[in-house]
Amino acid sequence: QALLVESGGGLVQPGGSLTLSCVASGISFSIYDMDWYRQAPGSERELVARITSGGQITYDDSVKARFAIFRDNYKNTVSLQMNELKPEDTAVYFCKGSWLSLTYWGQGTQVTVSS
């Protein structure tokens, strides 16, 4: 059974940093494209960053140069390094794994950026 579990969220001051991690089990992790999404209250879920099975990376314009996504296929983990955090980065962050028609979501981790 596929399972994605995020961790690393919390409360951070503006300008601070956090690293989110998502550990996958029950899937052949290395063949999955892995995404980080976020959803703020009252807003739709939006794609923040993607790393494909081949290592191609894309970012939403709002986080370019501040966030970095990386994966470790030996540890079945995808991470999101978030720097220079802003109040507008406050959201629940979700990881998603997809391969062909298969898609799995984690339960989310809350990130709050506030002084």
Side-chain angles (χ1 to χ4, degrees):
Q1 182 177 353
L3 185 65
L4 303 181
V5 180
E6 301 98 334
S7 63
L11 174 64
V12 63
Q13 292 187 343
S17 298
L18 279 176
T19 299
L20 307 182
S21 294
C22 172
V23 180
S25 59
I27 63 172
S28 296
F29 181 80
S30 64
I31 66 174
Y32 276 70
D33 296 336
M34 299 301 299
D35 302 328
W36 282 98
Y37 280 74
R38 66 186 179 188
Q39 187 167 22
S43 299
E44 294 187 354
R45 195 170 294 189
E46 62 178 5
L47 177 63
V48 175
R50 166 171 291 165
I51 183 165
T52 69
S53 58
Q56 291 181 306
I57 292 173
T58 54
Y59 297 101
D60 182 80
D61 286 344
S62 66
V63 306
K64 276 182 182 177
R66 299 190 299 122
F67 290 11
I69 187 172
F70 50 97
R71 66 189 297 161
D72 184 335
N73 289 338
Y74 293 102
K75 296 182 178 179
N76 287 2
T77 299
V78 60
S79 300
L80 186 69
Q81 171 70 43
M82 306 186 294
N83 301 316
E84 300 176 32
L85 283 161
K86 304 175 181 180
E88 51 263 43
D89 294 318
T90 295
V92 179
Y93 285 71
F94 300 88
C95 71
K96 186 187 87 170
S98 56
W99 176 66
L100 300 180
S101 62
L102 296 175
T103 300
Y104 301 104
W105 289 89
Q107 84 289 347
T109 186
Q110 175 71 46
V111 172
T112 302
V113 184
S114 175
S115 55

